[in-house]
Amino acid sequence: MPKKFYVTTPIYYPSGNLHIGHAYTTTLADILKRYKDMQGYETFFLTGSDEHGQKIEQKANEAGLSPMEYLEEKVESFKILWKALKIDYSKFIRTTDSYHEETVQKIFTILLDQGYIYEGNYEGLYCVSCEEFLNADQIDENNMCKISNTKLELVKEETYFLKTSLFQKFMENEVLASEFLIPAYRRNEMLNSFVKPELKDLSVTRTSFSWGIPISQNPKHVVYVWLDALTNYITALGYLQSDDSNFKKFWKDENTEILQLAGKEIIRFHSIYWPIILKSLNLRQPTHLLGHGWILSKDTKMSKSLGNVIDPIEMINNYGADALRFYIGYELPTEKDGNFTDELFIESFNAHLANNIGNLISRTNQMITKYFDGFVDMTNIHYDKELTEKGIQTVSEYIKNMDEYKISDAIRNILDLGNACNKYIEEKTPWNLAKEENFSELKNVIATIQRNIAIMTYLLKPILVENYQDMIEQIGLKDVELTFEKIINWNEISFNKLGDKKIIFKRVN
């Protein structure tokens, strides 16, 4: 049986246009999904849109539209961005999909019948932007939300609560004591900030607006954000539906590797409330929840009010999808906040894609064409021992980092090999070997470089999806199937004669 991998992004809220932060999480998921495909896994990649709530209802009213009319254009813009960014998702869920709404109602009934949900009243300060009741430490001195910087509303209404307080020990001794939440330091953040101060029961329904999923038992209540939004990860697979084959395969099977990605501002909900909901339903936990940092602009959090939000479509139109995918994968490591400005983007593009990778492919292609008429005969080749070992070591380190979801470190492995190849060319001076007519040594040098570029290119396959075919063709491997086993042991790989030269990753001025 093939190994299985299920990866999810948060479902995004279509109250405005998507920005670089949405592209960040989704690109990370796509890179990891493609890597697992290369490793022979059966994969499922879920993304989607979170379409209920007070903010959507307000935005629709302001626009003179029904909520569904308002949503159509926004949701279509999500799909346009994912297509432009070469995102290869398996399914796009909308929380307004009927199967999801019906399943959420079933989940609510199960939790109510089991005594995990009860009716009561809630009073507190509510952030419409975040769709969340806030604790004191989430509110600034001006009585504004620290995350959205928006004014809070005092809300008092009937609600149904989820008995999260019952799961204090479960959270302390099992969930946050395990390797579920990564990186590890985020476990202490959640434990000390939200769990140890004492878990409070969670409001899961609202009555002050109607744009949500009404509960069967009391239709004036609509299911409130997190019981609706978080359960998409299982409803999309067919949980409690007539066709639950994907649910059995990608969730119920304990051997399936489940990775969920989320930005740090919503880690609390994914690392506390989601495990509690799953435990209440007697379902397994995800293998890992990866909580990544924010994207900053010159060390300031991006926000529409500050006017420093980056439009990913504009970046793709100007530089191509691969340039953006590379920057996200390499320059925005998940364990900390990352910076994104036009200047940093261009600097990274020129240093790594144009100068290191693109230039290495170009100059090697040129030398093979000039000195060997486009084809190096690989009989009696003596590969350089040190650089060959470096190539094999790179594959091993790359696999280790990708298996640990450390995409930035994995790309660093590839770039280090590229730098080693460029240095090797300068040291061996193939142009001098050609002048001296030392063609046997020239052949060894070029073959060593060609082999290592093939390794680099294959390892870049889940990242540089737009240019991969051109890169592989420029190095003489068009229509040659590569695998990790083949590039490590260097077997069953035969180079073709090179065709016309193409410039890949032209330097940006």
Side-chain angles (χ1 to χ4, degrees), residues 217-390:
Q217 296 81 358
N218 195 344
K220 73 175 181 179
H221 285 257
V222 294
V223 174
Y224 161 62
V225 175
W226 297 106
L227 195 60
D228 172 12
L230 290 168
T231 54
N232 93 89
Y233 303 128
I234 51 177
T235 65
L237 296 176
Y239 177 61
L240 299 179
Q241 294 156 51
S242 57
D243 181 3
D244 62 355
S245 54
N246 278 330
F247 174 74
K248 287 174 178 172
K249 185 188 294 185
F250 291 105
W251 197 282
K252 197 170 182 181
D253 187 341
E254 292 288 339
N255 295 315
T256 299
E257 180 182 351
I258 301 173
L259 171 66
Q260 304 206 263
L261 298 169
K264 66 180 182 181
E265 71 276 11
I266 54 171
I267 283 300
R268 172 187 166 199
F269 306 100
H270 284 77
S271 66
I272 299 174
Y273 303 131
W274 180 222
I276 287 172
I277 291 167
L278 289 168
K279 181 73 171 174
S280 303
L281 294 169
N282 198 28
L283 297 176
R284 64 162 285 188
Q285 300 295 327
T287 314
H288 291 295
L289 167 64
L290 173 57
H292 63 72
W294 284 334
I295 302 178
L296 308 176
S297 175
K298 297 176 182 174
D299 297 317
T300 302
K301 186 176 185 292
M302 288 187 181
S303 73
K304 281 180 274 190
S305 59
L306 292 174
N308 61 358
V309 173
I310 301 278
D311 179 2
I313 288 287
E314 189 178 328
M315 300 302 291
I316 294 166
N317 290 341
N318 289 339
Y319 306 105
D322 279 358
L324 183 54
R325 291 173 65 92
F326 178 87
Y327 191 93
I328 287 169
Y330 180 55
E331 302 288 0
L332 304 174
T334 53
E335 65 272 12
K336 59 185 180 181
D337 294 339
N339 266 292
F340 196 119
T341 65
D342 285 344
E343 295 81 9
L344 288 172
F345 183 88
I346 291 170
E347 183 183 324
S348 174
F349 179 93
N350 285 337
H352 305 305
L353 292 179
N355 292 358
N356 186 335
I357 296 164
N359 184 50
L360 178 61
I361 292 173
S362 179
R363 70 197 299 205
T364 304
N365 179 292
Q366 193 170 343
M367 288 188 288
I368 294 170
T369 301
K370 183 176 180 180
Y371 303 137
F372 299 100
D373 195 27
F375 179 75
V376 180
D377 182 359
M378 293 296 175
T379 52
N380 300 318
I381 288 290
H382 298 286
Y383 293 109
D384 180 89
K385 185 173 184 291
E386 186 179 339
L387 194 55
T388 300
E389 287 176 353
K390 171 78 173 171

Side-chain angles (χ1 to χ4, degrees), residues 29-48:
D30 186 70
I31 290 170
L32 291 168
K33 181 262 182 194
R34 289 173 183 272
Y35 165 72
K36 293 292 185 178
D37 286 338
M38 291 163 65
Q39 287 280 30
Y41 281 70
E42 185 176 359
T43 61
F44 198 99
F45 170 17
L46 179 69
T47 190

Side-chain angles (χ1 to χ4, degrees), residues 366-417:
Q366 193 170 343
M367 288 188 288
I368 294 170
T369 301
K370 183 176 180 180
Y371 303 137
F372 299 100
D373 195 27
F375 179 75
V376 180
D377 182 359
M378 293 296 175
T379 52
N380 300 318
I381 288 290
H382 298 286
Y383 293 109
D384 180 89
K385 185 173 184 291
E386 186 179 339
L387 194 55
T388 300
E389 287 176 353
K390 171 78 173 171
I392 294 167
Q393 181 189 1
T394 297
V395 180
S396 176
E397 290 172 349
Y398 170 94
I399 289 172
K400 180 179 183 296
N401 281 319
M402 290 294 274
D403 284 348
E404 295 174 1
Y405 320 130
K406 295 177 180 176
I407 298 170
S408 179
D409 291 347
I411 295 174
R412 179 74 261 165
N413 299 142
I414 303 167
L415 296 176
D416 286 346
L417 180 58

